[in-house]
Protein backbone atom coordinates (compact mmCIF):
# COMPACT_ATOMS: atom_id res chain seq x y z
CA UNK A 1 0.00 0.00 0.00
CA UNK A 2 2.64 2.50 1.13
CA UNK A 3 3.80 4.67 -1.74
CA UNK A 4 1.45 3.13 -4.32
CA UNK A 5 -0.32 5.54 -6.61
CA UNK A 6 -4.07 5.17 -6.35
CA UNK A 7 -5.87 4.84 -9.68
CA UNK A 8 -8.79 6.67 -8.01
CA UNK A 9 -6.49 9.62 -7.28
CA UNK A 10 -6.96 9.23 -3.53
CA UNK A 11 -4.27 9.52 -0.91
CA UNK A 12 -3.24 6.47 1.06
CA UNK A 13 -5.14 7.73 4.12
CA UNK A 14 -8.31 8.39 2.10
CA UNK A 15 -8.15 4.93 0.57
CA UNK A 16 -7.78 3.28 3.95
CA UNK A 17 -10.73 5.24 5.27
CA UNK A 18 -12.99 4.20 2.37
CA UNK A 19 -12.10 0.62 3.29
CA UNK A 20 -13.13 1.30 6.88
CA UNK A 21 -9.55 1.16 8.23
CA UNK A 22 -8.94 3.98 10.73
CA UNK A 23 -5.33 5.07 10.68
CA UNK A 24 -3.81 6.42 13.90
CA UNK A 25 -4.31 10.10 14.72
CA UNK A 26 -0.65 10.89 14.19
CA UNK A 27 0.26 14.10 16.02
CA UNK A 28 3.96 13.27 16.49
CA UNK A 29 5.07 15.79 13.87
CA UNK A 30 4.08 17.58 10.67
CA UNK A 31 6.75 15.45 8.96
CA UNK A 32 4.44 12.41 8.93
CA UNK A 33 2.16 13.66 6.14
CA UNK A 34 1.67 11.53 3.03
CA UNK A 35 1.97 13.21 -0.38
CA UNK A 36 -1.39 14.36 -1.78
CA UNK A 37 -2.85 12.91 -4.98
CA UNK A 38 -1.80 16.12 -6.77
CA UNK A 39 1.79 15.66 -5.57
CA UNK A 40 1.84 12.04 -6.67
CA UNK A 41 0.56 13.00 -10.12
CA UNK A 42 3.23 15.71 -10.38
CA UNK A 43 5.89 13.19 -9.35
CA UNK A 44 4.68 10.68 -11.93
CA UNK A 45 4.96 13.14 -14.77
CA UNK A 46 8.01 15.11 -13.61
CA UNK A 47 10.60 15.98 -16.22
CA UNK A 48 13.98 14.93 -14.82
CA UNK A 49 17.72 15.05 -15.51
CA UNK A 50 20.91 14.71 -13.52
CA UNK A 51 20.82 17.46 -10.93
CA UNK A 52 24.52 17.09 -10.09
CA UNK A 53 25.11 18.32 -13.67
CA UNK A 54 22.48 21.04 -13.06
CA UNK A 55 20.29 19.35 -15.67
CA UNK A 56 17.12 18.53 -13.78
CA UNK A 57 14.52 20.99 -15.09
CA UNK A 58 12.08 20.37 -12.23
CA UNK A 59 14.73 20.95 -9.55
CA UNK A 60 15.82 24.08 -11.41
CA UNK A 61 12.21 25.30 -11.49
CA UNK A 62 11.78 24.66 -7.75
CA UNK A 63 15.00 26.52 -6.95
CA UNK A 64 13.91 29.46 -9.13
CA UNK A 65 10.48 29.63 -7.50
CA UNK A 66 11.95 29.51 -3.99
CA UNK A 67 14.38 32.30 -4.87
CA UNK A 68 11.51 34.38 -6.31
CA UNK A 69 9.23 33.86 -3.32
CA UNK A 70 12.01 34.78 -0.87
CA UNK A 71 13.23 37.62 -3.14
CA UNK A 72 16.80 36.30 -3.09
CA UNK A 73 19.24 35.72 -5.94
CA UNK A 74 19.39 31.91 -5.57
CA UNK A 75 18.13 28.79 -3.83
CA UNK A 76 19.27 25.18 -3.41
CA UNK A 77 17.18 22.03 -2.98
CA UNK A 78 18.57 19.89 -0.15
CA UNK A 79 17.40 16.50 1.14
CA UNK A 80 16.64 17.72 4.67
CA UNK A 81 16.39 20.72 6.94
CA UNK A 82 19.30 19.39 8.94
CA UNK A 83 21.53 19.39 5.86
CA UNK A 84 20.39 22.92 4.98
CA UNK A 85 21.25 24.20 8.47
CA UNK A 86 24.58 22.41 8.55
CA UNK A 87 25.62 23.73 5.14
CA UNK A 88 24.87 27.24 6.42
CA UNK A 89 26.90 26.69 9.59
CA UNK A 90 29.82 25.39 7.53
CA UNK A 91 29.76 28.34 5.13
CA UNK A 92 29.30 31.14 7.64
CA UNK A 93 31.93 30.01 10.17
CA UNK A 94 35.59 29.06 10.61
CA UNK A 95 36.69 26.06 12.71
CA UNK A 96 37.19 27.11 16.35
CA UNK A 97 34.39 29.67 16.30
CA UNK A 98 31.15 29.70 18.23
CA UNK A 99 27.53 29.70 17.05
CA UNK A 100 24.95 31.38 19.26
CA UNK A 101 21.48 29.85 19.29
CA UNK A 102 18.49 29.49 21.59
CA UNK A 103 18.79 26.56 24.03
CA UNK A 104 15.79 24.58 22.76
CA UNK A 105 16.65 24.89 19.05
CA UNK A 106 16.76 22.02 16.62
CA UNK A 107 20.35 22.98 15.78
CA UNK A 108 21.49 22.43 19.36
CA UNK A 109 19.31 19.45 20.33
CA UNK A 110 18.57 17.40 17.26
CA UNK A 111 21.37 17.71 14.72
CA UNK A 112 23.67 15.02 16.10
CA UNK A 113 26.56 17.28 17.16
CA UNK A 114 27.16 17.87 13.46
CA UNK A 115 28.19 21.53 13.90
CA UNK A 116 31.19 20.28 15.89
CA UNK A 117 31.81 17.20 13.75
CA UNK A 118 31.54 18.86 10.34
CA UNK A 119 32.31 22.54 10.88
CA UNK A 120 34.54 22.38 13.97
CA UNK A 121 32.50 24.97 15.85
CA UNK A 122 30.94 24.93 19.29
CA UNK A 123 27.43 26.04 20.08
CA UNK A 124 26.59 28.60 22.74
CA UNK A 125 22.95 27.94 23.67
CA UNK A 126 21.02 30.73 25.38
CA UNK A 127 18.06 29.74 27.54
CA UNK A 128 15.02 31.98 27.09
CA UNK A 129 11.54 31.78 28.62
CA UNK A 130 9.73 32.08 25.30
CA UNK A 131 12.11 30.66 22.70
CA UNK A 132 12.45 34.12 21.08
CA UNK A 133 16.07 35.14 20.68
CA UNK A 134 16.19 38.89 21.30
CA UNK A 135 19.17 41.23 20.89
CA UNK A 136 19.10 41.69 24.67
CA UNK A 137 19.64 37.94 25.13
CA UNK A 138 22.28 37.61 22.40
CA UNK A 139 24.45 40.63 23.18
CA UNK A 140 26.01 39.31 26.42
CA UNK A 141 26.78 35.98 24.70
CA UNK A 142 28.77 37.49 21.82
CA UNK A 143 32.53 36.93 21.92
CA UNK A 144 34.12 39.47 19.59
CA UNK A 145 36.72 41.41 21.54
CA UNK A 146 39.29 38.92 22.85
CA UNK A 147 41.03 37.02 20.05
CA UNK A 148 43.53 35.25 22.35
CA UNK A 149 41.20 33.60 24.85
CA UNK A 150 37.67 33.18 23.56
CA UNK A 151 36.13 31.38 20.61
CA UNK A 152 34.92 34.18 18.35
CA UNK A 153 31.21 34.31 17.57
CA UNK A 154 30.97 33.30 13.93
CA UNK A 155 27.21 33.03 13.52
CA UNK A 156 23.85 33.50 15.22
CA UNK A 157 20.97 31.16 14.35
CA UNK A 158 17.31 32.07 14.85
CA UNK A 159 14.57 29.40 14.73
CA UNK A 160 11.17 30.67 13.53
CA UNK A 161 8.71 29.19 14.37
CA UNK A 162 10.42 27.72 17.39
CA UNK A 163 9.56 24.04 17.46
CA UNK A 164 10.30 22.89 21.03
CA UNK A 165 9.15 26.21 22.49
CA UNK A 166 5.65 25.32 21.25
CA UNK A 167 5.67 26.65 17.70
CA UNK A 168 6.04 30.26 18.85
CA UNK A 169 6.52 32.95 16.26
CA UNK A 170 9.47 35.34 16.41
CA UNK A 171 8.00 38.63 15.14
CA UNK A 172 9.89 40.92 12.76
CA UNK A 173 10.31 43.60 15.46
CA UNK A 174 12.48 41.14 17.43
CA UNK A 175 14.58 39.95 14.51
CA UNK A 176 14.95 43.46 13.06
CA UNK A 177 16.81 44.70 16.17
CA UNK A 178 18.93 41.58 16.32
CA UNK A 179 19.85 41.71 12.62
CA UNK A 180 20.71 45.42 12.73
CA UNK A 181 23.03 44.99 15.70
CA UNK A 182 24.69 41.87 14.30
CA UNK A 183 25.25 43.52 10.92
CA UNK A 184 26.98 46.45 12.63
CA UNK A 185 29.35 43.94 14.25
CA UNK A 186 29.89 41.87 11.11
CA UNK A 187 28.28 38.71 12.55
CA UNK A 188 26.11 36.76 10.06
CA UNK A 189 22.69 35.43 11.02
CA UNK A 190 21.07 32.28 9.62
CA UNK A 191 17.33 31.65 9.84
CA UNK A 192 16.22 28.10 10.60
CA UNK A 193 12.84 28.75 9.05
CA UNK A 194 11.77 25.11 8.88
CA UNK A 195 8.24 26.43 9.54
CA UNK A 196 8.61 30.04 8.40
CA UNK A 197 5.39 29.85 6.35
CA UNK A 198 3.51 28.98 9.57
CA UNK A 199 5.01 32.09 11.16
CA UNK A 200 3.96 34.32 8.23
CA UNK A 201 0.41 32.92 8.23
CA UNK A 202 0.09 33.29 12.02
CA UNK A 203 1.20 36.94 11.87
CA UNK A 204 -0.76 37.69 8.69
CA UNK A 205 2.40 39.23 7.22
CA UNK A 206 4.17 38.73 3.88
CA UNK A 207 6.83 36.06 4.21
CA UNK A 208 9.50 38.50 3.13
CA UNK A 209 8.96 40.64 6.25
CA UNK A 210 10.12 37.70 8.35
CA UNK A 211 13.09 36.69 6.22
CA UNK A 212 14.62 39.91 4.87
CA UNK A 213 18.00 40.74 6.39
CA UNK A 214 19.06 37.18 7.25
CA UNK A 215 22.26 36.13 5.53
CA UNK A 216 20.71 32.76 4.68
CA UNK A 217 17.37 31.06 5.17
CA UNK A 218 16.51 27.37 5.37
CA UNK A 219 12.89 26.30 5.07
CA UNK A 220 11.29 22.85 4.86
CA UNK A 221 8.95 21.60 2.16
CA UNK A 222 8.46 18.37 4.08
CA UNK A 223 6.76 19.77 7.19
CA UNK A 224 3.48 21.73 7.20
CA UNK A 225 3.68 22.29 3.45
CA UNK A 226 3.21 18.54 3.01
CA UNK A 227 5.97 17.40 0.61
CA UNK A 228 7.40 13.93 1.19
CA UNK A 229 11.06 15.03 1.15
CA UNK A 230 13.14 18.15 0.93
CA UNK A 231 14.13 21.56 2.19
CA UNK A 232 15.52 24.70 0.57
CA UNK A 233 18.41 26.96 1.37
CA UNK A 234 18.11 30.50 0.01
CA UNK A 235 20.62 33.32 -0.14
CA UNK A 236 23.14 35.18 -2.28
CA UNK A 237 24.38 33.69 -5.57
CA UNK A 238 27.90 33.02 -4.29
CA UNK A 239 26.62 31.54 -1.02
CA UNK A 240 24.33 29.14 -2.90
CA UNK A 241 27.11 28.23 -5.31
CA UNK A 242 29.33 27.29 -2.36
CA UNK A 243 26.36 25.55 -0.68
CA UNK A 244 26.04 23.31 -3.76
CA UNK A 245 29.65 22.21 -3.25
CA UNK A 246 29.13 21.46 0.45
CA UNK A 247 25.87 19.60 -0.33
CA UNK A 248 27.90 17.33 -2.62
CA UNK A 249 30.50 16.79 0.14
CA UNK A 250 27.70 15.60 2.38
CA UNK A 251 26.41 13.16 -0.22
CA UNK A 252 23.42 15.33 -1.01
CA UNK A 253 23.81 15.35 -4.80
CA UNK A 254 20.56 13.59 -5.68
CA UNK A 255 20.65 13.01 -9.47
CA UNK A 256 17.04 12.71 -10.87
CA UNK A 257 15.72 14.63 -7.90
CA UNK A 258 13.00 16.24 -10.03
CA UNK A 259 10.77 13.39 -8.86
CA UNK A 260 10.98 14.93 -5.38
CA UNK A 261 11.13 18.55 -6.52
CA UNK A 262 7.82 18.06 -8.38
CA UNK A 263 6.10 17.36 -5.05
CA UNK A 264 8.07 20.23 -3.53
CA UNK A 265 6.68 22.65 -6.12
CA UNK A 266 3.11 21.64 -5.28
CA UNK A 267 3.94 22.06 -1.58
CA UNK A 268 5.44 25.50 -2.16
CA UNK A 269 2.53 26.81 -4.25
CA UNK A 270 -0.38 25.19 -2.42
CA UNK A 271 0.88 24.34 1.07
CA UNK A 272 0.84 27.79 2.67
CA UNK A 273 -2.86 28.32 1.82
CA UNK A 274 -4.07 25.70 4.25
CA UNK A 275 -1.76 26.29 7.24
CA UNK A 276 -4.35 28.46 9.02
CA UNK A 277 -6.50 25.33 9.36
CA UNK A 278 -3.65 23.54 11.16
CA UNK A 279 -3.28 26.52 13.49
CA UNK A 280 -7.03 26.46 14.28
CA UNK A 281 -6.83 22.75 15.02
CA UNK A 282 -3.81 23.25 17.30
CA UNK A 283 -5.68 25.96 19.22
CA UNK A 284 -8.69 23.65 19.46
CA UNK A 285 -6.49 20.89 20.93
CA UNK A 286 -4.88 23.38 23.34
CA UNK A 287 -8.22 24.71 24.56
CA UNK A 288 -9.42 21.17 25.29
CA UNK A 289 -6.16 20.19 26.96
CA UNK A 290 -6.09 23.27 29.18
CA UNK A 291 -9.22 21.98 30.95
CA UNK A 292 -7.69 18.57 31.74
CA UNK A 293 -6.36 17.39 35.10
CA UNK A 294 -2.64 17.98 35.69
CA UNK A 295 -2.06 19.89 32.44
CA UNK A 296 -0.38 23.30 32.49
CA UNK A 297 -0.91 25.06 29.21
CA UNK A 298 -1.74 28.58 28.11
CA UNK A 299 -3.98 27.87 25.15
CA UNK A 300 -3.93 31.55 24.13
CA UNK A 301 -0.16 31.27 23.63
CA UNK A 302 -0.55 28.61 20.93
CA UNK A 303 0.21 30.54 17.75
CA UNK A 304 0.83 27.93 15.05
CA UNK A 305 0.55 24.16 14.57
CA UNK A 306 2.49 22.99 17.63
CA UNK A 307 1.15 22.41 21.14
CA UNK A 308 3.58 21.62 23.94
CA UNK A 309 1.92 20.88 27.28
CA UNK A 310 3.47 20.58 30.71
CA UNK A 311 2.70 17.64 32.99
CA UNK A 312 4.72 18.74 36.02
CA UNK A 313 1.47 18.93 38.03
CA UNK A 314 0.16 15.62 36.69
CA UNK A 315 0.44 12.25 38.38
CA UNK A 316 1.78 10.94 35.05
CA UNK A 317 5.03 11.61 33.24
CA UNK A 318 5.25 12.36 29.53
CA UNK A 319 6.46 8.89 28.46
CA UNK A 320 3.54 7.22 30.26
CA UNK A 321 1.00 9.54 28.64
CA UNK A 322 2.48 8.97 25.18
CA UNK A 323 2.42 5.17 25.65
CA UNK A 324 -1.18 5.19 26.87
CA UNK A 325 -2.26 7.44 24.01
CA UNK A 326 -0.69 5.04 21.52
CA UNK A 327 -2.86 2.23 22.95
CA UNK A 328 -5.79 4.44 21.98
CA UNK A 329 -4.47 5.01 18.45
CA UNK A 330 -3.24 8.57 19.09
CA UNK A 331 0.46 9.25 18.51
CA UNK A 332 2.36 12.06 20.25
CA UNK A 333 5.98 12.79 21.21
CA UNK A 334 7.47 13.24 24.69
CA UNK A 335 10.04 16.08 24.59
CA UNK A 336 11.36 15.32 28.08
CA UNK A 337 10.03 13.93 31.37
CA UNK A 338 7.27 16.52 31.73
CA UNK A 339 6.49 17.82 28.24
CA UNK A 340 4.42 16.29 25.45
CA UNK A 341 4.23 17.76 21.95
CA UNK A 342 1.30 17.55 19.53
CA UNK A 343 1.66 18.82 15.96
CA UNK A 344 -1.25 19.37 13.57
CA UNK A 345 -0.92 18.97 9.81
CA UNK A 346 -2.84 18.26 6.61
CA UNK A 347 -3.54 14.60 7.49
CA UNK A 348 -5.44 15.41 10.71
CA UNK A 349 -8.74 17.26 10.38
CA UNK A 350 -11.01 18.58 13.15
CA UNK A 351 -12.77 15.24 13.60
CA UNK A 352 -9.45 13.51 14.20
CA UNK A 353 -8.50 16.24 16.71
CA UNK A 354 -11.77 15.54 18.53
CA UNK A 355 -10.77 11.87 18.71
CA UNK A 356 -7.37 12.88 20.05
CA UNK A 357 -8.93 15.05 22.77
CA UNK A 358 -11.22 12.21 23.77
CA UNK A 359 -8.21 9.89 24.16
CA UNK A 360 -6.18 12.55 25.99
CA UNK A 361 -8.95 13.08 28.55
CA UNK A 362 -9.31 9.33 29.06
CA UNK A 363 -5.56 8.94 29.68
CA UNK A 364 -4.98 12.06 31.79
CA UNK A 365 -8.13 11.66 33.87
CA UNK A 366 -8.08 7.82 34.06
CA UNK A 367 -11.55 7.45 32.54
C1 LIG B 1 13.08 23.85 13.53
C2 LIG B 1 13.61 22.70 12.75
N1 LIG B 1 14.74 22.86 12.05
C3 LIG B 1 15.27 21.88 11.32
C4 LIG B 1 14.64 20.66 11.23
C5 LIG B 1 15.31 19.56 10.43
O1 LIG B 1 14.57 19.12 9.37
P1 LIG B 1 14.81 17.63 8.79
O2 LIG B 1 14.02 16.72 9.67
O3 LIG B 1 14.28 17.72 7.40
O4 LIG B 1 16.25 17.36 8.84
C6 LIG B 1 13.46 20.44 11.95
C7 LIG B 1 12.80 19.13 11.89
O5 LIG B 1 11.87 18.85 12.60
C8 LIG B 1 12.94 21.48 12.74
O6 LIG B 1 11.84 21.34 13.46
Amino acid sequence: MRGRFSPKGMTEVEEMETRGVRSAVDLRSDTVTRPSAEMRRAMMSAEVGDDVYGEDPTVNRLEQRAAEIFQRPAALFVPSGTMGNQIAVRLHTEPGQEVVCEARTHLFNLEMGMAAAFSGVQLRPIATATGRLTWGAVEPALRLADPYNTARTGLVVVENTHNWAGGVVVPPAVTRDLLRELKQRGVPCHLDGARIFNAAVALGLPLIELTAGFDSVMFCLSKGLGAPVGSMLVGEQDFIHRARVVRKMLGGGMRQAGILAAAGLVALEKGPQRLAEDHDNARYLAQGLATMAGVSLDAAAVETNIVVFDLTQSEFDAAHVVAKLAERNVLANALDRHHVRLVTHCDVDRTRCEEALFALRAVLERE
Side-chain angles (χ1 to χ4, degrees), residues 250-283:
L250 289 168
M254 292 189 290
R255 308 298 176 184
Q256 285 73 41
I259 295 281
L260 301 174
L265 272 163
V266 176
L268 189 57
E269 303 296 354
K270 304 274 174 76
Q273 294 157 23
R274 50 156 313 288
L275 293 177
E277 187 184 328
D278 296 346
H279 299 177
D280 285 346
N281 283 334
R283 254 188 309 274

CSV table of all heavy atoms in Angstrom, one decimal, residues 250-283:
chain,number,residue,atom,x,y,z
A,250,LEU,N,28.5,16.3,1.4
A,250,LEU,CA,27.7,15.6,2.4
A,250,LEU,C,26.9,14.4,1.7
A,250,LEU,O,26.1,13.8,2.4
A,250,LEU,CB,26.7,16.6,3.1
A,250,LEU,CG,27.4,17.5,4.0
A,250,LEU,CD1,26.4,18.6,4.4
A,250,LEU,CD2,27.8,16.8,5.3
A,251,GLY,N,27.1,14.2,0.5
A,251,GLY,CA,26.4,13.2,-0.2
A,251,GLY,C,25.0,13.6,-0.6
A,251,GLY,O,24.1,12.7,-0.8
A,252,GLY,N,24.8,14.9,-0.7
A,252,GLY,CA,23.4,15.3,-1.0
A,252,GLY,C,23.2,15.6,-2.5
A,252,GLY,O,22.2,16.3,-2.8
A,253,GLY,N,24.1,15.2,-3.4
A,253,GLY,CA,23.8,15.3,-4.8
A,253,GLY,C,22.8,14.2,-5.2
A,253,GLY,O,23.2,13.1,-5.1
A,254,MET,N,21.6,14.6,-5.6
A,254,MET,CA,20.6,13.6,-5.7
A,254,MET,C,20.2,13.1,-7.1
A,254,MET,O,19.1,12.5,-7.2
A,254,MET,CB,19.3,14.1,-4.9
A,254,MET,CG,19.6,14.2,-3.4
A,254,MET,SD,18.0,14.5,-2.6
A,254,MET,CE,17.7,16.2,-3.1
A,255,ARG,N,20.9,13.5,-8.1
A,255,ARG,CA,20.6,13.0,-9.5
A,255,ARG,C,19.2,13.3,-9.9
A,255,ARG,O,18.8,14.5,-9.9
A,255,ARG,CB,20.9,11.5,-9.6
A,255,ARG,CG,22.3,11.1,-9.1
A,255,ARG,CD,23.4,11.7,-9.9
A,255,ARG,NE,24.8,11.5,-9.4
A,255,ARG,CZ,25.9,12.0,-9.8
A,255,ARG,NH1,25.9,12.8,-10.9
A,255,ARG,NH2,27.0,11.7,-9.3
A,256,GLN,N,18.4,12.4,-10.3
A,256,GLN,CA,17.0,12.7,-10.9
A,256,GLN,C,16.1,13.2,-9.8
A,256,GLN,O,15.0,12.6,-9.6
A,256,GLN,CB,16.5,11.5,-11.7
A,256,GLN,CG,17.1,11.3,-13.0
A,256,GLN,CD,18.5,10.7,-12.9
A,256,GLN,OE1,18.8,9.8,-12.1
A,256,GLN,NE2,19.5,11.2,-13.7
A,257,ALA,N,16.5,14.2,-9.1
A,257,ALA,CA,15.7,14.6,-7.9
A,257,ALA,C,14.4,15.4,-8.3
A,257,ALA,O,13.7,15.8,-7.4
A,257,ALA,CB,16.6,15.5,-7.0
A,258,GLY,N,14.2,15.6,-9.6
A,258,GLY,CA,13.0,16.2,-10.0
A,258,GLY,C,11.8,15.5,-9.6
A,258,GLY,O,10.7,16.1,-9.4
A,259,ILE,N,11.9,14.2,-9.4
A,259,ILE,CA,10.8,13.4,-8.9
A,259,ILE,C,10.3,14.0,-7.5
A,259,ILE,O,9.1,14.1,-7.2
A,259,ILE,CB,11.2,11.9,-8.7
A,259,ILE,CG1,11.6,11.3,-10.0
A,259,ILE,CG2,10.2,11.1,-7.9
A,259,ILE,CD1,10.4,10.8,-10.8
A,260,LEU,N,11.3,14.4,-6.7
A,260,LEU,CA,11.0,14.9,-5.4
A,260,LEU,C,10.6,16.4,-5.5
A,260,LEU,O,9.7,16.9,-4.8
A,260,LEU,CB,12.2,14.8,-4.4
A,260,LEU,CG,12.6,13.3,-4.2
A,260,LEU,CD1,13.9,13.3,-3.4
A,260,LEU,CD2,11.5,12.5,-3.5
A,261,ALA,N,11.4,17.1,-6.4
A,261,ALA,CA,11.1,18.5,-6.5
A,261,ALA,C,9.7,18.8,-7.0
A,261,ALA,O,9.1,19.9,-6.7
A,261,ALA,CB,12.2,19.1,-7.5
A,262,ALA,N,9.2,17.9,-7.8
A,262,ALA,CA,7.8,18.1,-8.4
A,262,ALA,C,6.8,18.2,-7.2
A,262,ALA,O,5.9,19.0,-7.2
A,262,ALA,CB,7.5,16.9,-9.3
A,263,ALA,N,7.0,17.3,-6.2
A,263,ALA,CA,6.1,17.4,-5.1
A,263,ALA,C,6.4,18.6,-4.3
A,263,ALA,O,5.5,19.3,-3.7
A,263,ALA,CB,6.3,16.1,-4.2
A,264,GLY,N,7.7,19.0,-4.2
A,264,GLY,CA,8.1,20.2,-3.5
A,264,GLY,C,7.4,21.5,-4.1
A,264,GLY,O,7.0,22.4,-3.4
A,265,LEU,N,7.3,21.5,-5.5
A,265,LEU,CA,6.7,22.6,-6.1
A,265,LEU,C,5.2,22.8,-5.7
A,265,LEU,O,4.7,23.9,-5.5
A,265,LEU,CB,6.8,22.5,-7.6
A,265,LEU,CG,8.1,23.1,-8.2
A,265,LEU,CD1,8.4,22.6,-9.6
A,265,LEU,CD2,8.0,24.6,-8.3
A,266,VAL,N,4.5,21.6,-5.7
A,266,VAL,CA,3.1,21.6,-5.3
A,266,VAL,C,3.0,22.1,-3.8
A,266,VAL,O,2.2,23.0,-3.5
A,266,VAL,CB,2.5,20.2,-5.4
A,266,VAL,CG1,1.0,20.3,-4.9
A,266,VAL,CG2,2.5,19.8,-6.9
A,267,ALA,N,3.9,21.6,-3.0
A,267,ALA,CA,3.9,22.1,-1.6
A,267,ALA,C,4.2,23.6,-1.5
A,267,ALA,O,3.5,24.2,-0.7
A,267,ALA,CB,5.0,21.3,-0.8
A,268,LEU,N,5.1,24.1,-2.2
A,268,LEU,CA,5.4,25.5,-2.2
A,268,LEU,C,4.3,26.4,-2.6
A,268,LEU,O,4.0,27.4,-2.0
A,268,LEU,CB,6.7,25.7,-3.0
A,268,LEU,CG,7.4,27.1,-2.9
A,268,LEU,CD1,7.8,27.4,-1.5
A,268,LEU,CD2,8.6,27.1,-3.8
A,269,GLU,N,3.6,26.0,-3.7
A,269,GLU,CA,2.5,26.8,-4.2
A,269,GLU,C,1.2,26.7,-3.5
A,269,GLU,O,0.5,27.6,-3.3
A,269,GLU,CB,2.3,26.5,-5.7
A,269,GLU,CG,3.5,26.6,-6.7
A,269,GLU,CD,4.1,28.0,-6.8
A,269,GLU,OE1,3.5,29.0,-6.3
A,269,GLU,OE2,5.1,28.1,-7.4
A,270,LYS,N,0.9,25.4,-3.0
A,270,LYS,CA,-0.4,25.2,-2.4
A,270,LYS,C,-0.3,25.1,-0.9
A,270,LYS,O,-1.3,25.3,-0.2
A,270,LYS,CB,-1.0,23.9,-3.0
A,270,LYS,CG,-1.1,23.8,-4.5
A,270,LYS,CD,-2.4,24.4,-4.9
A,270,LYS,CE,-2.6,24.5,-6.4
A,270,LYS,NZ,-2.9,23.2,-7.0
A,271,GLY,N,0.8,24.6,-0.4
A,271,GLY,CA,0.9,24.3,1.1
A,271,GLY,C,0.5,25.5,2.0
A,271,GLY,O,-0.3,25.3,2.9
A,272,PRO,N,1.1,26.7,1.7
A,272,PRO,CA,0.8,27.8,2.7
A,272,PRO,C,-0.7,28.1,2.8
A,272,PRO,O,-1.1,28.6,3.9
A,272,PRO,CB,1.6,29.0,2.0
A,272,PRO,CG,2.7,28.3,1.2
A,272,PRO,CD,2.1,27.1,0.7
A,273,GLN,N,-1.5,27.9,1.8
A,273,GLN,CA,-2.9,28.3,1.8
A,273,GLN,C,-3.7,27.6,2.9
A,273,GLN,O,-4.7,28.1,3.3
A,273,GLN,CB,-3.5,28.0,0.5
A,273,GLN,CG,-3.0,28.9,-0.7
A,273,GLN,CD,-3.2,28.2,-2.0
A,273,GLN,OE1,-4.1,27.4,-2.2
A,273,GLN,NE2,-2.4,28.5,-3.0
A,274,ARG,N,-3.2,26.4,3.3
A,274,ARG,CA,-4.1,25.7,4.3
A,274,ARG,C,-3.5,25.6,5.7
A,274,ARG,O,-4.0,25.0,6.5
A,274,ARG,CB,-4.4,24.3,3.7
A,274,ARG,CG,-3.3,23.5,3.2
A,274,ARG,CD,-3.6,22.0,3.3
A,274,ARG,NE,-4.2,21.7,4.6
A,274,ARG,CZ,-3.5,21.6,5.7
A,274,ARG,NH1,-2.2,21.9,5.8
A,274,ARG,NH2,-4.1,21.3,6.8
A,275,LEU,N,-2.4,26.4,5.9
A,275,LEU,CA,-1.8,26.3,7.2
A,275,LEU,C,-2.6,26.9,8.4
A,275,LEU,O,-2.6,26.4,9.5
A,275,LEU,CB,-0.4,27.0,7.2
A,275,LEU,CG,0.7,26.3,6.4
A,275,LEU,CD1,2.0,27.2,6.4
A,275,LEU,CD2,1.0,24.9,6.8
A,276,ALA,N,-3.5,27.9,8.0
A,276,ALA,CA,-4.3,28.5,9.0
A,276,ALA,C,-5.3,27.4,9.7
A,276,ALA,O,-5.6,27.5,10.9
A,276,ALA,CB,-5.2,29.6,8.4
A,277,GLU,N,-5.6,26.4,8.9
A,277,GLU,CA,-6.5,25.3,9.4
A,277,GLU,C,-5.7,24.5,10.4
A,277,GLU,O,-6.3,24.2,11.5
A,277,GLU,CB,-6.9,24.4,8.2
A,277,GLU,CG,-7.9,23.4,8.5
A,277,GLU,CD,-8.1,22.5,7.2
A,277,GLU,OE1,-8.0,23.0,6.1
A,277,GLU,OE2,-8.4,21.3,7.4
A,278,ASP,N,-4.5,24.3,10.2
A,278,ASP,CA,-3.6,23.5,11.2
A,278,ASP,C,-3.5,24.4,12.5
A,278,ASP,O,-3.6,23.8,13.6
A,278,ASP,CB,-2.2,23.3,10.6
A,278,ASP,CG,-2.2,22.4,9.4
A,278,ASP,OD1,-3.3,21.7,9.1
A,278,ASP,OD2,-1.2,22.3,8.7
A,279,HIS,N,-3.4,25.7,12.3
A,279,HIS,CA,-3.3,26.5,13.5
A,279,HIS,C,-4.6,26.5,14.3
A,279,HIS,O,-4.6,26.4,15.5
A,279,HIS,CB,-2.9,28.0,13.1
A,279,HIS,CG,-1.6,28.1,12.4
A,279,HIS,ND1,-1.1,29.2,11.8
A,279,HIS,CD2,-0.7,27.1,12.0
A,279,HIS,CE1,0.0,29.0,11.2
A,279,HIS,NE2,0.3,27.7,11.3
A,280,ASP,N,-5.7,26.5,13.6
A,280,ASP,CA,-7.0,26.5,14.3
A,280,ASP,C,-7.1,25.1,15.0
A,280,ASP,O,-7.6,25.1,16.2
A,280,ASP,CB,-8.2,26.5,13.3
A,280,ASP,CG,-8.4,28.0,12.7
A,280,ASP,OD1,-7.8,28.9,13.3
A,280,ASP,OD2,-9.1,28.1,11.7
A,281,ASN,N,-6.7,24.1,14.4
A,281,ASN,CA,-6.8,22.8,15.0
A,281,ASN,C,-5.9,22.7,16.2
A,281,ASN,O,-6.3,22.0,17.2
A,281,ASN,CB,-6.5,21.6,14.0
A,281,ASN,CG,-7.7,21.4,13.1
A,281,ASN,OD1,-8.8,21.6,13.4
A,281,ASN,ND2,-7.4,20.9,11.9
A,282,ALA,N,-4.7,23.3,16.2
A,282,ALA,CA,-3.8,23.2,17.3
A,282,ALA,C,-4.4,24.0,18.5
A,282,ALA,O,-4.4,23.6,19.6
A,282,ALA,CB,-2.5,23.9,16.9
A,283,ARG,N,-5.0,25.2,18.2
A,283,ARG,CA,-5.7,26.0,19.2
A,283,ARG,C,-6.8,25.2,19.8
A,283,ARG,O,-7.0,25.2,21.1
A,283,ARG,CB,-6.2,27.3,18.7
A,283,ARG,CG,-5.4,28.5,19.1
A,283,ARG,CD,-6.0,29.8,18.7
A,283,ARG,NE,-6.4,29.8,17.3
A,283,ARG,CZ,-5.5,30.2,16.3
A,283,ARG,NH1,-4.3,30.5,16.6
A,283,ARG,NH2,-6.0,30.2,15.1
